[in-house]
Amino acid sequence: MQWDEDFDVVCVGSGLGGMSAALTAAERGSRAIVLEKFELLGGVSALSSGQLWLGNHHLQDADGIEDNDADVERHLSHLGQGFATADRRKVFVTRAREALRYFTDVIGIEMMVVRGLPDYYHPAVPGSRAEGRYVEVKPFKDERLGDLASLVLTSPYGDGYSYTTANEWVGMQTGGEPVGACLQRHLEVGERCAGAGLAAAQVAAARDRGVEMRVSNAVTELVIDEGEIVGVVVQGPSGTTRIRARLGVVLATGGYDWKPDFVRAFDALPEAGTMAPPTVSGDHIVMASKAGAIAIPARAPSQSPIFIGYKVPAETIYGKPSSRMWLPGTPHCIAVNRYGRRFANDGFYPDVATKVARFDGQEQGQPNWPAWIIFDQDMVDKYGMMPSWPGQPLSEGMATSADSLEALAQAVGIDADGLQDTVARFNGFCETGVDEDFARGSVPWGRIMTGDPRRSNPNLGPIGRAPFYAVKLERVNMGVPTAGLAIDIDGRVLDAHDQPITGLYAAGNSASWLDIGGGYNSGIANTRGMLYGYLAALHMTGQQAAPASAPPMVSA
């Protein structure tokens, strides 16, 4: 075959999966290249909170936090609801900490524990912890990127996504510095945080190890020779290029947010918004299918971390009207269905996201969909609704408003009597501080991340000050899909007969969640990217000598 270029490892996608594979391969002496379809490096993980979630890791030791594999297993077993496979779950439990130590101690990425942040379902779920399992990158200075600074993605949805840490958000809830002051400080000194900081740290480390990184380079085809993946075809600014992959190709392109047919088929959503870059379009599934791979749903669509949010018609992101994720729990607002009734703990987003997907044949479909956020002027003035800050008018076309709840209900198609009764009952709970219907404010994670610590119940506040507002909810993807490519414990992509396809690997959200199954906790998606990128590179480079500081090699 005629090749234009030759590398040992080709990584398709520059999020945590692709970059972790490239870094591991380069550290072990291989020539690696990262090919990114978007115009910037970082992928979906650069737009995330940047958290990793894993149990029993070395960073807990310095803080005196105790954990054990048995409790991690119990917690994941509850989340998985029987959908995970035992061998792959064991890999997540026992080797994610190995990967984390590799990237901190060998690659040199500075990470820290998020103190005081509990697992989503703590303390209700056996094996959950009050703190210690979330890890985030330390603030990373732009100047360390040099000329690459302009090529690494930061969030187009506002500086708060890329220039604040989870530790600062949690600290604010316990009397610490206001997160707005933290944001200003990080901006002034040019420090990236969260997903943007983690992406920057990986890019800088990759540059230092000689990893080739190219943006606006779309891999369009896998080159197959007698059933083995031997390279890729790339469409870039200079035309079409054929790149040989001596050891293997890692598919780490994320999910399929921008491919409506896949969203409809795998996620059971006729329509959904997304906050992912427009290049997240299921390329891994399309390309791998030619090699005999198939997309495997790892759970029911209602169990996928498909978020809830709303459209912002006046805001343009990626050249299109945007969607925003909503984290419910702010005082002075509730979520209701068309009957005007609350239907979930609207102080904890996983509960709302699950309940809106409920299907009931007797009630002719989805009784909680469509749904709306209902709030008053106090919510607007005190907390705002992105992209508007507290006290600012809401973005044009985003909300419907009226001077009474009855008029608001009539304007948007909600049962007026039901809404008025629901608000009156909810306001009564705000007086007592106890939500007798859905226990809003009882989940520690929701209290910390979305509540107001100045209130006796951080998630409760009455709806009573006109004008009143309604924002229609929509499902919003963030690159974390229901289906992905089946992989084995080394990250090798499997065909329809569960046999590895030689030379083909997948990491992150391109790989099916067979290791986790039916549930979610913030940070798991990022950990899976780091873990399987690392494992794939170890497998590919297994016959090469590892640096003395690296973990023992995994046999190929």
Side-chain angles (χ1 to χ4, degrees), residues 155-237:
S155 176
Y157 293 94
D159 291 336
Y161 287 89
S162 298
Y163 294 94
T164 57
T165 71
N167 271 293
E168 288 163 349
W169 281 93
V170 175
M172 181 178 65
Q173 299 292 335
T174 56
E177 187 179 14
V179 75
C182 300
L183 168 62
Q184 186 62 35
R185 184 178 66 255
H186 292 307
L187 285 170
E188 288 175 354
V189 299
E191 288 180 335
R192 304 187 190 201
C193 307
L198 186 53
Q202 285 205 312
V203 167
R207 174 204 57 201
D208 294 346
R209 286 162 175 78
V211 174
E212 183 81 16
M213 294 172 281
R214 298 177 189 171
V215 297
S216 302
N217 272 255
V219 175
T220 59
E221 185 180 348
L222 298 173
V223 180
I224 307 170
D225 183 15
E226 297 184 356
E228 179 178 351
I229 306 305
V230 295
V232 296
V233 178
V234 186
Q235 189 66 41

Side-chain angles (χ1 to χ4, degrees), residues 356-421:
V356 296
R358 174 188 162 204
F359 182 85
D360 189 327
Q362 183 169 324
E363 296 190 44
Q364 300 181 344
Q366 295 176 280
N368 299 324
W369 197 255
W372 291 262
I373 312 165
I374 303 295
F375 53 98
D376 68 358
Q377 190 63 38
D378 279 338
M379 203 281 282
V380 175
D381 290 344
K382 294 178 184 179
Y383 310 110
M385 180 171 279
M386 297 303 292
S388 300
W389 293 99
Q392 294 181 338
L394 298 177
S395 181
E396 183 179 356
M398 193 175 84
T400 300
S401 64
D403 291 331
S404 70
L405 289 170
E406 180 181 12
L408 182 68
Q410 292 172 349
V412 298
I414 298 173
D415 181 88
D417 291 338
L419 179 60
Q420 291 177 98
D421 290 346

Side-chain angles (χ1 to χ4, degrees), residues 404-450:
S404 70
L405 289 170
E406 180 181 12
L408 182 68
Q410 292 172 349
V412 298
I414 298 173
D415 181 88
D417 291 338
L419 179 60
Q420 291 177 98
D421 290 346
T422 294
V423 170
R425 182 170 176 81
F426 176 77
N427 288 348
F429 298 153
C430 296
E431 292 181 9
T432 65
V434 178
D435 178 3
E436 297 177 10
D437 290 341
F438 297 102
R440 177 167 166 165
S442 65
V443 178
W445 188 93
R447 292 169 66 95
I448 291 170
M449 295 306 295
T450 65

